[in-house]
mmCIF file of all heavy atoms in Angstrom:
data_model
loop_
_atom_site.group_PDB
_atom_site.id
_atom_site.type_symbol
_atom_site.label_atom_id
_atom_site.label_comp_id
_atom_site.label_asym_id
_atom_site.label_seq_id
_atom_site.Cartn_x
_atom_site.Cartn_y
_atom_site.Cartn_z
ATOM 1 N N ALA A 58 -21.260 -34.873 82.388
ATOM 2 C CA ALA A 58 -19.908 -34.449 82.775
ATOM 3 C C ALA A 58 -19.126 -34.238 81.428
ATOM 4 O O ALA A 58 -19.595 -34.696 80.284
ATOM 5 C CB ALA A 58 -19.389 -35.660 83.449
ATOM 6 N N GLU A 59 -18.048 -33.524 81.473
ATOM 7 C CA GLU A 59 -17.163 -33.291 80.398
ATOM 8 C C GLU A 59 -15.949 -33.883 80.762
ATOM 9 O O GLU A 59 -15.213 -33.691 81.821
ATOM 10 C CB GLU A 59 -16.981 -31.842 80.267
ATOM 11 C CG GLU A 59 -16.927 -31.462 78.776
ATOM 12 C CD GLU A 59 -16.693 -29.964 78.621
ATOM 13 O OE1 GLU A 59 -15.484 -29.603 78.774
ATOM 14 O OE2 GLU A 59 -17.574 -29.256 78.146
ATOM 15 N N LEU A 60 -15.377 -34.859 79.842
ATOM 16 C CA LEU A 60 -14.255 -35.666 80.123
ATOM 17 C C LEU A 60 -13.091 -35.358 79.237
ATOM 18 O O LEU A 60 -13.191 -34.837 78.087
ATOM 19 C CB LEU A 60 -14.578 -37.152 79.928
ATOM 20 C CG LEU A 60 -15.610 -37.791 80.945
ATOM 21 C CD1 LEU A 60 -15.291 -37.501 82.405
ATOM 22 C CD2 LEU A 60 -17.041 -37.579 80.637
ATOM 23 N N ALA A 61 -11.829 -35.601 79.735
ATOM 24 C CA ALA A 61 -10.752 -35.471 78.868
ATOM 25 C C ALA A 61 -10.593 -36.590 77.890
ATOM 26 O O ALA A 61 -10.818 -37.711 78.320
ATOM 27 C CB ALA A 61 -9.438 -35.317 79.751
ATOM 28 N N PHE A 62 -10.217 -36.306 76.698
ATOM 29 C CA PHE A 62 -10.081 -37.479 75.701
ATOM 30 C C PHE A 62 -8.636 -37.877 75.455
ATOM 31 O O PHE A 62 -7.902 -37.031 74.897
ATOM 32 C CB PHE A 62 -10.733 -36.947 74.452
ATOM 33 C CG PHE A 62 -10.825 -38.131 73.327
ATOM 34 C CD1 PHE A 62 -11.974 -38.905 73.262
ATOM 35 C CD2 PHE A 62 -9.745 -38.351 72.497
ATOM 36 C CE1 PHE A 62 -12.041 -39.909 72.385
ATOM 37 C CE2 PHE A 62 -9.812 -39.411 71.586
ATOM 38 C CZ PHE A 62 -11.055 -40.209 71.471
ATOM 39 N N ALA A 63 -8.291 -38.990 75.822
ATOM 40 C CA ALA A 63 -6.911 -39.551 75.616
ATOM 41 C C ALA A 63 -6.662 -39.982 74.267
ATOM 42 O O ALA A 63 -7.421 -40.990 73.869
ATOM 43 C CB ALA A 63 -6.696 -40.516 76.756
ATOM 44 N N ASP A 64 -5.739 -39.490 73.564
ATOM 45 C CA ASP A 64 -5.372 -40.102 72.318
ATOM 46 C C ASP A 64 -4.042 -40.739 72.372
ATOM 47 O O ASP A 64 -3.561 -40.930 73.487
ATOM 48 C CB ASP A 64 -5.300 -39.046 71.057
ATOM 49 C CG ASP A 64 -4.364 -37.982 71.385
ATOM 50 O OD1 ASP A 64 -3.411 -38.196 72.154
ATOM 51 O OD2 ASP A 64 -4.415 -36.799 70.706
ATOM 52 N N ARG A 65 -3.561 -41.150 71.153
ATOM 53 C CA ARG A 65 -2.368 -41.936 71.168
ATOM 54 C C ARG A 65 -1.180 -41.469 72.101
ATOM 55 O O ARG A 65 -0.492 -42.124 72.723
ATOM 56 C CB ARG A 65 -1.836 -42.312 69.763
ATOM 57 C CG ARG A 65 -2.785 -43.239 69.196
ATOM 58 C CD ARG A 65 -2.366 -43.720 67.788
ATOM 59 N NE ARG A 65 -3.346 -44.745 67.341
ATOM 60 C CZ ARG A 65 -3.286 -46.093 67.451
ATOM 61 N NH1 ARG A 65 -2.178 -46.541 68.046
ATOM 62 N NH2 ARG A 65 -4.249 -46.705 67.222
ATOM 63 N N GLU A 66 -1.009 -40.072 72.030
ATOM 64 C CA GLU A 66 0.077 -39.485 72.716
ATOM 65 C C GLU A 66 -0.101 -39.658 74.222
ATOM 66 O O GLU A 66 0.943 -39.952 74.901
ATOM 67 C CB GLU A 66 0.003 -37.949 72.330
ATOM 68 C CG GLU A 66 1.454 -37.304 72.456
ATOM 69 C CD GLU A 66 1.478 -35.868 72.123
ATOM 70 O OE1 GLU A 66 0.767 -35.505 71.125
ATOM 71 O OE2 GLU A 66 2.114 -34.971 72.765
ATOM 72 N N ASP A 67 -1.227 -39.451 74.698
ATOM 73 C CA ASP A 67 -1.504 -39.660 76.136
ATOM 74 C C ASP A 67 -1.328 -41.086 76.509
ATOM 75 O O ASP A 67 -0.823 -41.445 77.619
ATOM 76 C CB ASP A 67 -2.986 -39.278 76.367
ATOM 77 C CG ASP A 67 -3.329 -37.766 75.940
ATOM 78 O OD1 ASP A 67 -2.497 -36.831 76.492
ATOM 79 O OD2 ASP A 67 -4.220 -37.635 75.295
ATOM 80 N N VAL A 68 -1.875 -41.983 75.696
ATOM 81 C CA VAL A 68 -1.511 -43.405 75.998
ATOM 82 C C VAL A 68 -0.255 -43.720 76.026
ATOM 83 O O VAL A 68 0.290 -44.403 76.951
ATOM 84 C CB VAL A 68 -2.263 -44.261 74.922
ATOM 85 C CG1 VAL A 68 -1.657 -45.767 74.875
ATOM 86 C CG2 VAL A 68 -3.722 -44.274 74.829
ATOM 87 N N ASP A 69 0.683 -43.260 75.189
ATOM 88 C CA ASP A 69 2.190 -43.326 75.204
ATOM 89 C C ASP A 69 2.670 -42.841 76.519
ATOM 90 O O ASP A 69 3.580 -43.503 77.158
ATOM 91 C CB ASP A 69 2.696 -42.675 74.053
ATOM 92 C CG ASP A 69 4.096 -43.245 73.663
ATOM 93 O OD1 ASP A 69 4.198 -44.435 73.634
ATOM 94 O OD2 ASP A 69 4.934 -42.402 73.414
ATOM 95 N N ARG A 70 2.225 -41.610 76.983
ATOM 96 C CA ARG A 70 2.677 -41.066 78.244
ATOM 97 C C ARG A 70 2.321 -41.983 79.399
ATOM 98 O O ARG A 70 3.186 -42.277 80.277
ATOM 99 C CB ARG A 70 1.951 -39.719 78.410
ATOM 100 C CG ARG A 70 2.708 -38.601 77.713
ATOM 101 C CD ARG A 70 2.328 -37.214 78.306
ATOM 102 N NE ARG A 70 0.908 -36.901 78.027
ATOM 103 C CZ ARG A 70 0.243 -35.935 78.645
ATOM 104 N NH1 ARG A 70 0.766 -35.255 79.704
ATOM 105 N NH2 ARG A 70 -1.090 -35.621 78.408
ATOM 106 N N ALA A 71 1.091 -42.504 79.290
ATOM 107 C CA ALA A 71 0.704 -43.303 80.461
ATOM 108 C C ALA A 71 1.395 -44.568 80.497
ATOM 109 O O ALA A 71 1.748 -45.263 81.544
ATOM 110 C CB ALA A 71 -0.841 -43.568 80.343
ATOM 111 N N VAL A 72 1.650 -45.194 79.335
ATOM 112 C CA VAL A 72 2.401 -46.503 79.246
ATOM 113 C C VAL A 72 3.795 -46.269 79.863
ATOM 114 O O VAL A 72 4.278 -47.195 80.557
ATOM 115 C CB VAL A 72 2.406 -47.032 77.828
ATOM 116 C CG1 VAL A 72 3.293 -48.251 77.844
ATOM 117 C CG2 VAL A 72 0.943 -47.422 77.520
ATOM 118 N N LYS A 73 4.496 -45.167 79.454
ATOM 119 C CA LYS A 73 5.822 -44.807 79.957
ATOM 120 C C LYS A 73 5.767 -44.690 81.446
ATOM 121 O O LYS A 73 6.633 -45.278 82.118
ATOM 122 C CB LYS A 73 6.299 -43.512 79.282
ATOM 123 C CG LYS A 73 6.820 -43.614 77.836
ATOM 124 C CD LYS A 73 7.655 -42.506 77.499
ATOM 125 C CE LYS A 73 8.211 -42.777 76.012
ATOM 126 N NZ LYS A 73 7.425 -41.901 75.072
ATOM 127 N N ALA A 74 4.815 -44.114 82.030
ATOM 128 C CA ALA A 74 4.685 -43.844 83.487
ATOM 129 C C ALA A 74 4.543 -45.233 84.121
ATOM 130 O O ALA A 74 5.091 -45.543 85.167
ATOM 131 C CB ALA A 74 3.513 -42.929 83.799
#
Side-chain angles (χ1 to χ4, degrees):
E59 215 186 75
L60 294 312
F62 187 93
D64 65 14
R65 284 184 179 268
E66 203 179 324
D67 304 302
V68 167
D69 202 44
R70 280 197 289 165
V72 173
K73 282 201 179 102

